[in-house]
Amino acid sequence: MSSDNNNLRKYDDILEEDNHLPNWWLAILFGSIVFAFGYWIAFHTTDTFPNPPVVYRADVDALKKARAAANPTSEEALTALVASPEALSEGQKVFSTTCASCHGQNAEGLVGPNLTDKFWIHGAAGKDILKSVNDGYPDKGMPAWGVVIGDAKARNVTAFVLSLKGKNLKGKDPQGDPVE
Ligand code: HEC
């Protein structure tokens, strides 16, 4: 090993120079670091930009809406209505004017069964309740409401009844079978 001056070293006859790294190279290095930091903030710590989970959730929501619109009486569509404040408040209005006289102001049951407990004569699923509302059980004292209030209100009041699940208000004694 020999050295000609402080900056140049020679190993095995190969001269090693000690040059500055070129600026374009440094620019790429530090630029990448800054970019990576910004990228991490933008895409991994917030949902501001369309990162894959955000895009995925938006796609799933859009698909659910499209399916619900295509078949508004499906179980999926009725369940989705329960999450809509407009549908619930519309349904609640229909309930107080049309149903409360027999099922009680709070659906705790009167002439008609308690709709807040877990006992059901005709089924607790959205489509069962919609069927009860639409077709009724005229010989048992539950009128068929479909022709009176129309499809949209029937769906909204069904969503409202679904939203009462788990309330278990004290009222009319249980009728029908328990549904978990
Ligand atoms: C005139 C009284 C009366 C009115 C008004 C009435 N219901 Fe009923 N409803 C009944 C009776 C009685 C039954 C029980 C039928 C049976 O025993 O099979 C019933 C049953 C039901 C059931 C099935 C309950 C179960 O256990 O399966 C649902 C759901 C229901 N009503 C919802 C409604 C809704 C929503 C409205 C308003 C749009 C409404 N009812 C209006 C009397 C009424």
Side-chain angles (χ1 to χ4, degrees):
M1 181 175 110
S2 75
S3 65
D4 303 314
N5 61 41
N6 282 341
N7 290 332
L8 299 176
R9 292 166 191 276
K10 212 172 185 181
Y11 299 91
D12 299 336
D13 277 343
I14 299 170
L15 187 65
E16 181 191 278
E17 298 193 16
D18 190 10
N19 290 325
H20 243 288
L21 288 162
N23 283 342
W24 63 262
W25 194 93
L26 289 172
I28 290 175
L29 173 68
F30 292 118
S32 309
I33 292 171
V34 170
F35 175 81
F37 191 68
Y39 183 95
W40 175 71
I41 299 255
F43 287 98
H44 290 269
T45 63
T46 75
D47 279 349
T48 320
F49 295 94
N51 59 33
V54 169
V55 172
Y56 174 75
R57 284 196 295 269
D59 282 355
V60 170
D61 284 352
L63 187 69
K64 274 191 185 160
K65 281 214 179 97
R67 275 204 203 144
N71 186 3
T73 59
S74 66
E75 194 61 40
E76 195 178 17
L78 294 170
T79 312
L81 267 194
V82 182
S84 152
E86 304 93 69
L88 289 187
S89 86
E90 173 71 16
Q92 183 161 29
K93 271 190 221 141
V94 174
F95 191 89
S96 349
T97 54
T98 317
C99 323
S101 53
C102 288
H103 288 280
Q105 259 327 306
N106 301 307
E108 72 281 11
L110 213 59
V111 184
N114 187 339
L115 300 177
T116 70
D117 63 12
K118 61 177 187 182
F119 292 86
W120 295 87
I121 309 170
H122 302 288
K127 59 182 184 345
D128 300 329
I129 293 170
L130 184 63
K131 187 177 183 321
S132 293
V133 173
N134 275 335
D135 304 342
Y137 307 98
D139 48 335
K140 300 276 177 55
M142 165 76 182
W145 289 105
V147 286
V148 183
I149 60 180
D151 289 345
K153 282 186 175 164
R155 289 197 298 269
N156 289 339
V157 80
T158 296
F160 175 69
V161 172
L162 281 174
S163 77
L164 303 173
K165 264 199 184 134
K167 280 203 164 183
N168 288 314
L169 298 181
K170 264 200 169 20
K172 201 169 184 216
D173 284 342
Q175 289 168 276
D177 300 320
V179 178
E180 291 308 331

